[in-house]
Every structure is written in C-alpha cells, then in structure tokens.
Amino acid sequence: MNLTHLEYLVMAVSCRSYAEAGRRLHITPQAISKAILSLERELGVPLFTKDAKGVSPTPLAHEIALRAEQVLNDLSDLRSYASAHRERAVHSGVLSLGIAGSYYRGSILSIEDFGPFMAMYPDIDLRLHIQTSPFCHTGLTEGLFSAAFTFGKPSMTESLETIRLMSPTLTIVVGHRHPLTQRSQTDEVSLVELARSPIAYPVDMATVYPALCKAASAVGTCLHFVDVDPTPQAMEEFFEEGGAMFVARGARILSMLPSTVQKRLARKPGVSIPVYLSYMSNRAPACIGSLEDYLVDYVSRLSA
C-alpha cells in the first residue's frame, strides 16, 4: 500500500474536497482523485461519492482515514527514533586513530590537538597511536585502526576513503651553537643552507625523504642524511656535532634537550608533503564523520 496515497486520503477526508486537499498538499486535484481510485481498487470498497456539489467521504472512509492517520503518525515516530539512533551512533563509539610520527620527534598532530574533540564528544572513545606512516597505512588496511592520519596518500584499495587536509611547514631542530642559530634576522632556513649540515634521516622514509631529496635537487644541491639512534644521548651528541633534524608537533626532544633551537624550512622553493586522513568506508565506525569534520575545521584554523 502506498503511504503517500494514505496521506492524500487523510487530507481529502478532512477537507471533504479534492481541490482543497490538493491546494494544501501543493498537488493537483487530479492527483488526489487518482490516489483515491487506487485505494478503492486495492481495498475493494468505495471511499467517496460524487454528486453535483462535488465529492463526499463515505462513513467507511472516515474510519479508514483515522486508522491511516495513526499509521502515518507511527511511521513518523519510527523515523524520528531511527534518526535519533543515527545521531547517537555518529557521536559515540570507539575510534582508533593511527597518527604518523615518533616518540621523540613528535607527530603530525599531537595528543593535545584532540582535546577539544574529546570534550565535544565525550561518548566517543578516541584512542590515539603514534606510529610511522607505513605502519599506520598497514594498520588501517588490516583493521588495527579505524582511521589513519599520515604523510602522503595511501595506495588506493577498495573502500578506501582519503581526504587531503594540509601540507604543513617543516620544522628543523639544531643545537644552540649551530651556525644557523646565528641568523637572528629570520627563523627560516633554506635547503641550500641546510645542505651544509648532516641531517638525521626523517622518520617517514616513504614520503618525506623523497620529497626533500627532490626539492634539494631542484635547487641544485644535495642533502646529506645520516642515521641517528633514537635515544636522547645519541641525539644530543648529534646536535653538538652540528647536525640538524626534522621534527613535528609536540616533539619531546625539545623539552629533553633545552639547548636545541627550532627553525622553519623556507617555503620557497617549496617542499610539498601532503597530509591525509584515510579510512575504510566499509568498516569505519559511524563516528568517523565527527572526526573528519573536526579535523577539517581544526587544520584549516592551524593553516590560517
């Protein structure tokens, strides 16, 4: 049975006129008449009689209209209930997020960056995992993470959704006696200047490393990368020997080695390293939309 036809019946009985019912429903009287005829054929009973003055609902039509109105109200309640359930699902659940980064060198976004999100959605159990970009990609495809926030676009697989969020300015850390710290006129460092120092291999070798090498080659220079053990002692010795290291937000090394100084990599010539939010649409929790909306808004304000 067509529910729209029931709606037309209820209105036609209430108005005792096809023309008035059509006016209130913003349709033609002919559409009302056609719906009533369809109901009469389906139910096997007359619902309206015609005379010189127009149409009149039969006593049975009144009874059926009352029941039809109850059905329509129940259906409306059902839709409202389902909508409320969807809203609760969107704002609750467990969300495991892999974030590209490392313990000492920081991550694309720090745990503190998600404080407003957790305050906004207290029923979402947000679990943050700082890992390398390749591990985040693997964890996403294997179901360890609900979503991943990584450098570079993951290889496309079925059901993978990706959203490019930003291309952050790269940050460099050097020791306080490094020649670059003497340049008080600016906090920016060019690739040509950076090429004079040994540079610790970036944590992200899949995206950041090739992007840096390509940008350096474009300006006619070559960066000298070296291995540095991920321990405070080894990193301190590295900085004392004139080394430089790329770090991200919330890098613990800055507080552990207060003699270090931060510099920004000059935007020209640019090193474009895109950051993506990725998730598998076929198994992502309903609350992934809340996280996506938050991150899009949050990183847009960071970049402003």
Side-chain angles (χ1 to χ4, degrees):
M1 184 172 290
N2 191 312
L3 294 174
T4 301
H5 290 176
L6 292 182
E7 182 183 359
Y8 292 175
L9 171 66
V10 171
M11 185 61 71
V13 169
S14 174
C15 297
R16 301 178 66 85
S17 164
Y18 291 172
E20 179 61 19
R23 187 185 69 79
R24 295 189 185 186
L25 293 173
H26 306 289
I27 59 175
T28 65
Q30 291 76 14
I32 298 289
S33 177
K34 185 177 179 180
I36 298 301
L37 287 173
S38 177
L39 282 173
E40 288 179 332
R41 285 195 298 269
E42 185 172 357
L43 296 174
V45 293
L47 298 174
F48 280 81
T49 59
K50 296 182 180 180
D51 55 32
K53 296 181 179 179
V55 296
S56 299
T58 65
L60 182 60
H62 284 281
E63 294 296 327
I64 292 176
L66 287 174
R67 287 165 173 74
E69 188 171 15
Q70 183 61 52
V71 169
L72 294 171
N73 288 336
D74 289 344
L75 180 61
S76 178
D77 290 343
L78 183 62
R79 287 170 174 161
S80 297
Y81 177 81
S83 177
H85 180 77
R86 287 196 303 270
E87 285 295 314
R88 287 194 298 272
V90 166
H91 302 315
S92 63
V94 177
L95 222 173
S96 180
L97 177 63
I99 305 175
S102 74
Y103 181 82
Y104 290 115
R105 298 204 208 178
S107 52
I108 299 175
L109 289 181
S110 66
I111 293 175
E112 289 73 20
D113 290 315
F114 292 89
F117 177 84
M118 290 184 281
M120 191 182 309
Y121 303 110
D123 292 331
I124 295 179
D125 181 6
L126 182 63
R127 303 174 184 179
L128 305 177
H129 307 271
I130 309 299
Q131 299 287 347
T132 63
S133 278
F135 188 92
C136 290
H137 292 159
T138 301
L140 176 63
T141 57
E142 294 184 357
L144 298 176
F145 302 137
S146 309
F149 197 45
T150 59
F151 291 113
K153 188 174 184 178
S155 300
M156 292 303 295
T157 59
E158 188 177 357
S159 302
L160 181 69
E161 297 288 337
T162 60
I163 303 98
R164 180 169 176 164
L165 293 176
M166 60 179 177
S167 293
T169 300
L170 298 182
T171 302
I172 304 155
V173 171
V174 295
H176 72 284
R177 286 195 290 268
H178 194 285
L180 291 176
T181 64
Q182 310 306 315
R183 299 175 67 250
S184 58
Q185 66 270 29
T186 177
D187 285 331
E188 289 194 342
V189 175
S190 70
L191 287 171
V192 173
E193 293 173 310
L194 196 59
R196 301 167 189 159
S197 305
I199 307 167
Y201 277 108
V203 173
D204 187 286
M205 294 295 291
T207 302
V208 177
Y209 174 72
L212 288 169
C213 292
K214 181 179 179 181
S217 177
V219 294
T221 191
C222 181
L223 302 178
H224 175 49
F225 289 100
V226 298
D227 284 313
V228 179
D229 289 338
T231 65
Q233 182 179 354
M235 288 186 280
E236 184 174 22
E237 293 174 357
F238 175 69
F239 290 128
E240 289 176 353
E241 295 169 358
M245 180 181 291
F246 286 98
V247 299
R249 294 170 63 82
R252 288 180 173 86
I253 192 172
L254 298 172
S255 58
M256 295 172 60
L257 302 176
S259 61
T260 54
V261 178
Q262 287 190 81
K263 295 286 184 177
R264 295 192 310 274
L265 185 64
R267 285 190 173 272
K268 293 184 179 180
V271 180
S272 180
I273 303 176
V275 171
Y276 283 84
L277 173 68
S278 308
Y279 59 90
M280 305 298 291
S281 60
N282 60 339
R283 62 168 178 256
C287 55
I288 190 67
S290 298
L291 177 67
E292 181 180 339
D293 291 343
Y294 171 80
L295 286 175
V296 169
D297 177 68
Y298 190 79
V299 299
S300 67
R301 287 187 280 114
L302 282 181
S303 304

